[in-house]
Amino acid sequence: MNTMISTATMDTSPSVPLSTQLPKKVRVVTDAFRIAVTLPGGSPPTKKAIKEALRERGLKLSLLADVEAAWRELVEARKNAERNRLVRRFGRMPCRSNNHNRTSRLVLFEGTVQERLRDIRRNIVLRTYLRTYATSRRWGSEQVELVTSPTLVGVSQYQTNHRSGQWIGTSTHTVISAPENWRIRVPAELKVCDGMMTLDASPMDTPRDDVTVWQAKWIFQGRGFSVRAVDGFIAAHDGQYYHADTMAAAITGVARKARIAKQTPRDKHGARVKALRKRVAACPDRTVTKQDAYAVGACRYGVESWCNAVGLGDHESATLAEVLDGYIKHPAPEARQVILAATWDALPPPPKLNPKENSHES
């Protein structure tokens, strides 16, 4: 039986309450919850108080059991909301004090101070990972291990089989091994750099004073939910970053990337996407390859990670429309520069001023 109600058959006049037009079962539950909300939430309400509330609303006393059940559901929902708030703030559920004196506000937490600090550090790393990479949150799992040795830093994955009805699938479980002092060891600008999370970074001396280089280890996005740790160097110059296997390649790449970035106009994201749509509409079938991304200064790790994140990892080439869709999902500046470089002749150049008019205006 279809329980949906057509709005065309309902009387929307202010004189007729909406609850009287709903089915009887829905109306009973709605009225019960309305009464339960007005009752105090400390101790269970008495039947006398519930009956008085029903009489004030002009409802039947037969709703007494429904109101009691609704009150219990509301109390349980409030407890769960408070528990979730504490877990988000402290990383774990604090234990209740055994002191029943209501004047005391002392609350004891589970575990030692060191254990709670380690939980907070794990949650910081885990939240950064979940914001950066695609995960199978329903079937898989992600956990963080804090290590003290740089040789143990990395990421590992294993798969298990699960059954959903009559289908059998695989669940991906990820274990992230991060330094215990990851929050202060990795600079803020490197925590998520070019769409990749940095697990470890050590500053290095460079032959150029205007370029900063770190020997680092970052997480590379593979196909699907697969990830792996990569050792290399990250160079920073003029607000641009470049990942490479060697220090020399990182310095050369970031200098070229910064030089190309200065030639690219910067504007707001909304206007940027609108302008890119106009360019792509002029030549939607034009294709680009990864070599075009390398030509605008993007590093190999960043290009492959971005392609895997937007579903273009197994493509030898892609149309500009596909690149634009990927840019909207994952707005990497290198993808925008590829579209601009590939459509430089798509739009007519702006009209030139007449020399006579220009001299007259001056």
Side-chain angles (χ1 to χ4, degrees):
M1 180 178 178
N2 190 1
T3 58
M4 297 182 61
I5 304 170
S6 175
T7 56
T9 60
M10 297 173 57
D11 188 1
T12 58
S13 59
S15 60
V16 181
L18 181 61
S19 60
T20 60
Q21 305 176 52
L22 299 176
K24 182 178 179 181
K25 183 178 180 181
V26 179
R27 183 167 68 250
V28 169
V29 174
T30 303
D31 292 337
F33 273 96
R34 289 177 179 175
I35 296 297
V37 170
T38 61
L39 299 175
S43 59
T46 61
K47 293 184 179 181
K48 181 179 179 181
I50 297 176
K51 289 180 180 180
E52 291 179 356
L54 290 173
R55 291 192 185 98
E56 291 178 359
R57 294 293 186 97
L59 301 175
K60 296 180 181 180
L61 299 181
S62 59
L63 297 178
L64 178 63
D66 295 332
V67 174
E68 291 179 344
W71 183 87
R72 288 192 294 269
E73 291 184 18
L74 289 175
V75 171
E76 187 66 22
R78 290 166 182 167
K79 289 182 180 179
N80 292 336
E82 179 69 14
R83 181 184 183 281
N84 295 336
R85 185 184 67 83
L86 292 175
V87 169
R88 287 194 302 268
R89 181 176 181 182
F90 300 106
R92 60 194 306 161
M93 182 62 186
C95 64
R96 296 185 178 275
S97 174
N98 295 327
N99 186 5
H100 297 285
N101 185 7
R102 294 187 177 183
T103 60
S104 177
R105 295 183 178 273
L106 178 62
V107 179
L108 301 179
F109 295 90
E110 294 180 354
T112 62
V113 176
Q114 289 76 11
E115 292 176 351
R116 298 200 299 272
L117 287 176
R118 288 180 67 87
D119 289 341
I120 293 175
R121 292 164 183 162
R122 289 194 192 96
N123 291 334
I124 293 175
V125 177
L126 182 59
R127 286 197 299 266
T128 305
Y129 177 84
L130 295 178
R131 288 196 302 263
T132 309
Y133 298 95
T135 58
S136 177
R137 298 299 304 276
R138 182 176 181 182
W139 302 113
S141 64
E142 294 79 23
Q143 59 180 352
V144 177
E145 293 182 354
L146 300 180
V147 297
T148 56
S149 175
T151 58
L152 300 178
V153 175
V155 60
S156 60
Q157 288 184 320
Y158 63 95
Q159 293 184 342
T160 58
N161 295 330
H162 69 267
R163 178 177 292 276
S164 177
Q166 60 180 348
W167 305 102
I168 298 178
T170 57
S171 301
T172 303
H173 304 272
T174 306
V175 180
I176 307 159
S177 300
E180 193 172 11
N181 57 346
W182 179 84
R183 186 175 62 88
I184 59 177
R185 180 174 176 83
V186 179
E189 62 272 17
L190 294 185
K191 284 181 167 50
V192 179
C193 177
D194 288 346
M196 293 178 287
M197 177 181 174
T198 306
L199 291 178
D200 195 10
S202 301
M204 307 291 290
D205 291 336
T206 62
R208 293 184 53 175
D209 296 335
D210 57 343
V211 177
T212 307
V213 179
W214 295 268
Q215 185 178 4
K217 179 177 289 188
W218 59 87
I219 300 179
F220 174 78
Q221 173 73 64
R223 296 183 182 179
F225 303 129
S226 63
V227 294
R228 60 184 176 90
V230 179
D231 292 300
F233 295 85
I234 302 177
H237 173 60
D238 200 10
Q240 302 295 326
Y241 301 90
Y242 195 91
H243 298 72
D245 296 330
T246 63
M247 182 188 296
I251 295 175
T252 304
V254 76
R256 180 166 54 91
K257 186 176 180 180
R259 183 175 64 255
I260 297 175
K262 290 182 180 180
Q263 303 172 0
T264 305
R266 298 181 180 180
D267 48 8
K268 294 184 178 180
H269 181 69
R272 195 178 299 155
V273 173
K274 185 177 180 181
L276 292 179
R277 288 185 185 276
K278 187 181 298 185
R279 286 177 171 270
V280 172
C283 47
D285 298 331
R286 186 172 296 182
T287 60
V288 292
T289 62
K290 294 180 181 179
Q291 298 298 328
D292 296 317
Y294 303 149
V296 299
C299 61
R300 180 174 61 86
Y301 292 106
V303 172
E304 294 182 0
S305 181
W306 183 86
C307 291
N308 292 326
V310 301
L312 298 177
D314 55 348
H315 289 61
E316 295 295 334
S317 62
T319 63
L320 292 180
E322 293 175 340
V323 176
L324 179 58
D325 293 338
Y327 173 75
I328 295 175
K329 297 177 184 177
H330 193 76
E334 292 81 5
R336 175 172 59 92
Q337 294 175 2
V338 168
I339 297 177
L340 293 177
T343 59
W344 65 272
D345 58 342
L347 298 179
K352 297 182 179 180
L353 293 177
N354 191 346
K356 295 182 180 180
E357 296 178 357
N358 193 8
S359 61
H360 177 72
E361 291 177 359
S362 60

